[in-house]
Amino acid sequence: NRTITVIGLGYVGLAMACLLAQKNKVFAYDIDTNKLEKISNGISPIQDDYIEEYLKNKDLNLNLCDNLSNAIANSNYAIIATPTDYNEQKNFFDTHLVDNVIDDVLTINPKTTIVIKSTVPVGYTAQTQKKYSNANILFVPEFLRESKALYDNLYPSRIIIGHSNLQTAQNFAELLVNACNKPDVKTLFMPTTEAEAVKLFSNTYLALRVSFFNELDSYAMSKNLDTKNIIDGVCADNRICDFYNNPSFGYGGYCLPKDTKQLRANYEDVPQNLIDAIITSNDTRKDFIAQDILNRINSGQKLGIYRLTMKTNSDNFRQSSIQGIIQRLKDAGASLIIYEPNLKDSTFNDVPVESDFDKFIASCDLIVANRCDDELKAYSNKLYTRDIFYKD
């Protein structure tokens, strides 16, 4: 058993804290005291069935902290899971939160091993290791789905440890393997810069999949063809397979928008067309969808936007593709109302928000849904969606 501190309790950090607290002493630190209070009461601050179950019913050695010094003083590992938003002006991830945490942690406890889980630019960890030459710093990318973050830690597709010290990497990998429910999980060790590239290329490939099937759908819609028939036929090839193939209004969420742009920024001195085309394709799809919606309504009719979340069973609004559609419809002068029960505000982006489903349905002439739910089935006669397979 080791003593571990997790810094930042979003999807990545809270899932990692729950995973490792099964067999280790874990200090969980966040500056958001409301979040800490919820967790202390067995309530997950994010929508994730496994996290909710583990906080309520599992015997976790999870110690909540709002003081970093207390959290890190005697820890063997400091896992950093703070946000790194993409800075559009600088064309780079904003890593200042990670920078500050690393500096603070090593000032308090220079012997602890730093484990970076935040997504960072390619080369970031090596530069940081050079700055703190006596520290042990690992980069361990996460590959998580929203609302399934803990599940994807318990049953990981693979574990990748970026390191400059193999023994340190193997020790941390052993902690992850022992904590998950998949003891035969494939574990790969590589330099930190290559591990950072794995993260960005993995998410960019998923964005490529989404964009490909969205463009297939745009083609089928334009030619009056059955999208489902085409996708079923394409995906019957076991080289292509049946995943990330459900048409949508575009990719979005926490990772894909910023990771594709960061990868493109890393290509500054390397020729590329495809990465840039993925980002452009996502914008083109939103243009196409918005225009198709406008073509289906008459002047004065009201459009109802069903949910702001990125996918079914998620509470994440961040960078959701529906927001791009809303902006385009607003710019075209459409009359809009949003149904979002998780939003307390009465407006979103200057659009009225209705939290009562029945009132929402009664108020709109066409319902626009990126992802559908069972409650919409009775209103298929006025539903606009490209959710063909009713899956994410």
Side-chain angles (χ1 to χ4, degrees):
N1 293 358
R2 310 297 280 167
T3 301
I4 301 161
T5 298
V6 178
I7 301 165
L9 301 178
Y11 279 96
V12 176
L14 186 53
M16 183 62 55
C18 290
L19 176 83
L20 293 172
Q22 297 174 96
K23 298 182 179 180
N24 305 275
K25 185 174 185 178
V26 173
F27 291 96
Y29 169 82
D30 199 285
I31 59 172
D32 187 341
T33 54
N34 291 329
K35 187 181 291 185
L36 293 174
E37 185 177 354
K38 282 185 176 180
I39 297 169
S40 70
N41 291 319
I43 300 170
S44 175
I46 57 177
Q47 191 164 323
D48 188 298
D49 290 345
Y50 270 73
I51 289 177
E52 290 170 10
E53 167 69 18
Y54 271 55
L55 289 177
K56 285 180 182 176
N57 300 319
K58 294 288 184 178
D59 184 20
L60 303 178
N61 192 348
L62 187 61
N63 306 272
L64 302 173
C65 290
D66 61 3
N67 182 291
L68 185 59
S69 294
N70 294 342
I72 202 68
N74 297 305
S75 284
N76 304 108
Y77 295 93
I79 299 175
I80 299 175
T82 53
T84 49
D85 292 330
Y86 187 77
N87 187 312
E88 296 283 355
Q89 283 71 44
K90 295 182 179 179
N91 292 325
F92 231 60
F93 278 142
D94 183 351
T95 61
H96 82 276
L97 291 177
V98 180
D99 298 337
N100 293 343
V101 170
I102 291 173
D103 195 57
D104 290 344
V105 165
L106 291 176
T107 299
I108 298 164
N109 183 355
K111 294 183 179 179
T112 193
T113 296
I114 298 283
V115 180
I116 300 173
K117 294 290 289 183
S118 306
T119 305
V120 293
V122 176
Y124 172 85
T125 308
Q127 291 173 0
T128 305
Q129 181 69 74
K130 187 175 181 181
K131 179 180 178 181
Y132 302 100
S133 57
N134 294 325
N136 272 324
I137 304 176
L138 305 174
F139 176 75
V140 182
E142 50 83 14
F143 305 100
L144 308 178
R145 294 168 293 172
E146 289 170 25
S147 77
K148 295 186 181 295
L150 180 52
Y151 178 91
D152 289 339
N153 270 294
L154 291 165
Y155 302 94
S157 57
R158 73 282 207 197
I159 292 172
I160 292 175
I161 312 288
H163 69 92
S164 57
N165 183 304
L166 181 58
Q167 187 59 60
T168 301
Q170 289 173 336
N171 291 342
F172 188 71
E174 186 177 357
L175 288 177
L176 297 179
V177 172
N178 288 341
C180 77
N181 295 339
K182 192 178 175 183
D184 59 344
V185 59
K186 187 171 188 176
T187 304
L188 302 173
F189 299 96
M190 61 187 69
T192 57
T193 302
E194 291 167 10
E196 292 160 347
V198 168
K199 169 65 175 176
L200 295 183
F201 275 101
S202 294
N203 276 346
T204 302
Y205 176 72
L206 295 178
L208 170 64
R209 289 275 306 200
V210 173
S211 298
F212 177 87
F213 286 103
N214 280 343
E215 289 204 2
L216 183 159
D217 182 50
S218 295
Y219 177 85
M221 292 169 68
S222 299
K223 302 295 183 181
N224 198 27
L225 305 176
D226 188 316
T227 296
K228 184 177 184 302
N229 282 341
I230 300 172
I231 292 177
D232 284 343
V234 168
C235 293
D237 187 326
N238 60 16
R239 297 169 299 177
I240 298 173
C241 302
D242 187 26
F243 69 95
Y244 272 66
N245 64 349
N246 189 24
S248 67
F249 296 166
Y251 63 76
Y254 278 118
C255 295
L256 300 193
K258 67 187 182 79
D259 287 5
T260 51
K261 290 176 182 178
Q262 178 60 67
L263 183 59
R264 179 175 63 179
N266 277 113
Y267 265 89
E268 185 178 10
D269 300 319
V270 182
Q272 65 86 16
N273 284 310
L274 181 58
I275 310 302
D276 199 53
I278 295 167
I279 297 166
T280 302
S281 173
N282 204 43
D283 290 333
T284 301
R285 173 65 169 179
K286 292 174 186 175
D287 293 340
F288 178 85
I289 290 294
Q291 188 58 56
D292 193 51
I293 293 168
L294 292 168
N295 292 342
R296 294 167 187 262
I297 59 168
N298 299 318
S299 178
Q301 288 188 309
K302 180 162 285 188
L303 289 170
I305 306 298
Y306 179 78
R307 305 301 304 272
L308 293 170
T309 48
M310 188 56 223
K311 53 170 68 174
T312 306
N313 296 323
S314 173
D315 56 355
N316 172 35
F317 303 164
R318 181 175 169 183
Q319 293 289 316
S320 61
S321 57
I322 193 68
Q323 293 184 48
I325 303 301
I326 290 171
Q327 189 59 55
R328 286 162 171 80
L329 296 174
K330 273 185 60 183
D331 291 345
S335 177
L336 303 172
I337 186 169
I338 296 168
Y339 170 68
E340 182 46 72
N342 287 337
L343 196 65
K344 295 178 181 178
D345 299 330
S346 60
T347 62
F348 179 85
N349 196 13
D350 297 324
V351 177
V353 173
E354 176 59 67
S355 59
D356 184 291
F357 179 73
D358 292 331
K359 290 180 180 178
F360 166 77
I361 292 296
S363 67
C364 57
D365 298 289
L366 183 68
I367 306 164
V368 176
N370 182 46
R371 286 292 178 254
C372 295
D373 213 334
D374 288 343
E375 63 185 348
L376 291 177
K377 288 182 178 178
Y379 306 98
S380 58
N381 62 318
K382 63 173 186 177
L383 175 64
Y384 180 93
T385 187
R386 300 313 302 160
D387 186 1
I388 291 171
F389 297 103
Y390 278 60
K391 67 177 185 179
D392 290 323

